[in-house]
Amino acid sequence: MLLSPVPQTRLEHPVSVAPMMERTDRHFRYFMRQITRHTLLYTEMITTQAILHGDKGKLLDFSPEEHPLVLQLGGDHPQDLATCAQIAQDWGYDGVNLNVGCPSSRVQDGNFGACLMLQPEKVARAVAAMIEAVQIPVSVKHRIGVDECDRYQDLRRFVQIVSEAGCQQFSVHARKAWLQGLSPKENREVPPLQYETVHRLKQEFPHLFIEINGGIKTLAEVQSQLQAVDGVMIGRAAYDTPYLFAKVDQMFYGQLDPFPSRSEIVQRMLPYLATWVRQGVKLNSLIRPMLQLFAGQPGTKAWKRHLSENAHLPGAGVDVVEAALAKVQP
């Protein structure tokens, strides 16, 4: 039997960047903060076992500029999740999110991610334990269905049970997941998008914060979706076209400051890059999130080519980035 839900605060952001494995690391997040100050950011999914038994500093450290920032957890054991939620709160995260959407074989073997959609009561127990343990918001990211459990009634039951445990925020990837037969990449592309299913969920749970995720690539699409849901989570487009977010603060957060140019963003990154290079981090790993900054612009090929050909060389520093920038500036 679940405990009575603890009153929850909520991170009510109209726009967020989805947690993405091997993408949303601290360097990507710092880079995004030079483009948008207010968009909600997420870490990559980190398993409870990695946090409990691994190098916490390496896994969890972040720059103060990255706020607001949510830690996404992978796991299914309520006490472990509660402990990791406490660690997240102590580390300074603004919220914690439970992954109930990843379909990879790795998470299936650990009985977490998308397979947990088949066990809503277990998710509810985990969420209740996390909420009991912390004051920061606890949210869940999930699919609209898994395998043959893909009726709207199944989705509704999942949200009903988990919300009764106290969860007030649901980020919903508007595709079902196939646990067998499709790779994680195919699971992001092959199952059809069903935005209307998420819209219906919001209509039936008006008191919950419902955020939609999946295939959204433009700010016009964000505006359209916000007519039906509370928030929009953008995934791969944030990595492929990061400058998309330059106007987010003005359009969705009421900020009056002029949005930065691409060149200004590069200049803002230089001190950060120099600091990490001095600490022994390779430049090519730091600038990877920046490669698509000039996507669609004249000179983008020269920008990417210069960085790709030079950032990996021994001793590469910010001069490489400055030289690449000179190739795209008139």
Side-chain angles (χ1 to χ4, degrees):
M1 183 142 181
L2 296 175
L3 298 172
S4 298
V6 175
Q8 273 274 284
T9 56
R10 307 202 298 201
L11 286 171
E12 298 189 349
H13 283 255
V15 185
S16 68
V17 174
M20 293 178 281
M21 295 301 294
E22 300 182 352
R23 291 290 187 271
T24 52
D25 63 13
R26 64 180 303 176
H27 305 308
F28 169 83
R29 300 190 306 258
Y30 188 91
F31 167 61
M32 288 301 296
R33 274 291 169 252
Q34 311 318 305
I35 304 174
T36 169
R37 301 293 189 188
H38 300 286
T39 299
L40 184 62
L41 301 181
Y42 285 76
T43 68
E44 305 170 84
M45 181 188 71
I46 306 175
T47 67
T48 54
Q49 294 308 299
I51 293 173
L52 294 175
H53 305 294
D55 184 336
K56 292 181 179 59
K58 184 176 181 180
L59 292 168
L60 299 176
D61 282 351
F62 60 89
S63 302
E65 292 85 355
E66 294 173 43
H67 289 293
L69 178 62
V70 175
L71 173 66
Q72 187 183 63
L73 293 173
D76 71 330
H77 189 279
Q79 186 53 56
D80 287 350
L81 285 163
T83 299
C84 288
Q86 288 178 311
I87 292 170
Q89 178 171 273
D90 293 343
W91 225 265
Y93 283 91
D94 299 294
V96 63
N97 177 267
L98 179 61
N99 184 316
V100 190
C102 181
S104 76
S105 57
R106 172 172 165 253
V107 301
Q108 292 179 54
D109 291 342
N111 193 40
F112 57 96
C115 61
L116 283 177
M117 282 203 72
L118 302 173
Q119 307 169 68
E121 292 85 0
K122 189 167 193 175
V123 176
R125 289 192 292 273
V127 164
M130 295 163 74
I131 290 173
E132 183 73 18
V134 297
Q135 286 74 55
I136 57 176
V138 174
S139 59
V140 171
K141 186 174 188 295
H142 59 95
R143 296 283 186 133
I144 59 171
V146 176
D147 293 340
E148 301 303 329
C149 184
D150 61 355
R151 301 175 305 159
Y152 177 77
Q153 292 88 339
D154 299 319
L155 172 63
R156 190 187 191 286
R157 179 173 179 269
F158 174 86
V159 171
Q160 180 75 48
I161 291 172
V162 176
S163 66
E164 287 175 354
C167 185
Q168 297 293 301
Q169 295 184 253
F170 294 82
S171 299
V172 190
H173 189 154
R175 286 186 174 95
K176 66 177 290 184
W178 287 103
L179 298 182
Q180 302 295 330
L182 293 182
S183 68
K185 181 178 186 296
E186 290 170 328
N187 262 300
R188 293 192 298 269
E189 300 169 353
V190 175
L193 287 161
Q194 299 181 45
Y195 293 145
E196 67 282 356
T197 298
V198 186
H199 299 168
R200 181 180 176 185
L201 199 64
K202 176 58 188 177
Q203 292 170 358
E204 296 198 23
F205 295 92
H207 60 292
L208 299 179
F209 188 92
I210 302 294
E211 180 178 51
I212 196 166
N213 170 231
I216 297 163
K217 298 179 180 179
T218 70
L219 297 188
E221 291 176 274
V222 173
Q223 288 180 311
S224 176
Q225 289 291 341
L226 287 175
Q227 303 304 307
V229 294
D230 302 300
V232 177
M233 176 180 276
I234 299 177
R236 299 289 149 171
Y239 206 86
D240 296 338
T241 54
Y243 196 67
L244 168 72
F245 284 79
K247 295 182 180 179
V248 163
D249 291 356
Q250 287 186 346
M251 291 179 64
F252 302 104
Y253 290 92
Q255 296 301 297
L256 301 178
D257 297 338
F259 56 88
S261 70
R262 292 173 174 85
S263 296
E264 287 171 338
I265 292 164
V266 175
Q267 294 293 340
R268 291 177 181 179
M269 285 296 295
L270 294 178
Y272 178 85
L273 298 175
T275 297
W276 282 95
V277 168
R278 284 196 298 269
Q279 294 178 25
V281 178
K282 298 296 185 182
L283 181 67
N284 59 333
S285 68
L286 296 170
I287 56 88
R288 190 175 65 145
M290 301 173 63
L291 290 174
Q292 292 294 112
L293 178 59
F294 292 91
Q297 300 299 301
T300 185
K301 289 184 179 179
W303 160 261
K304 289 193 287 187
R305 183 184 304 114
H306 189 83
L307 291 177
S308 298
E309 292 178 351
N310 295 278
H312 70 282
L313 298 176
V318 295
D319 56 312
V320 171
V321 182
E322 292 173 316
L325 180 60
K327 293 181 179 297
V328 294
Q329 290 181 325

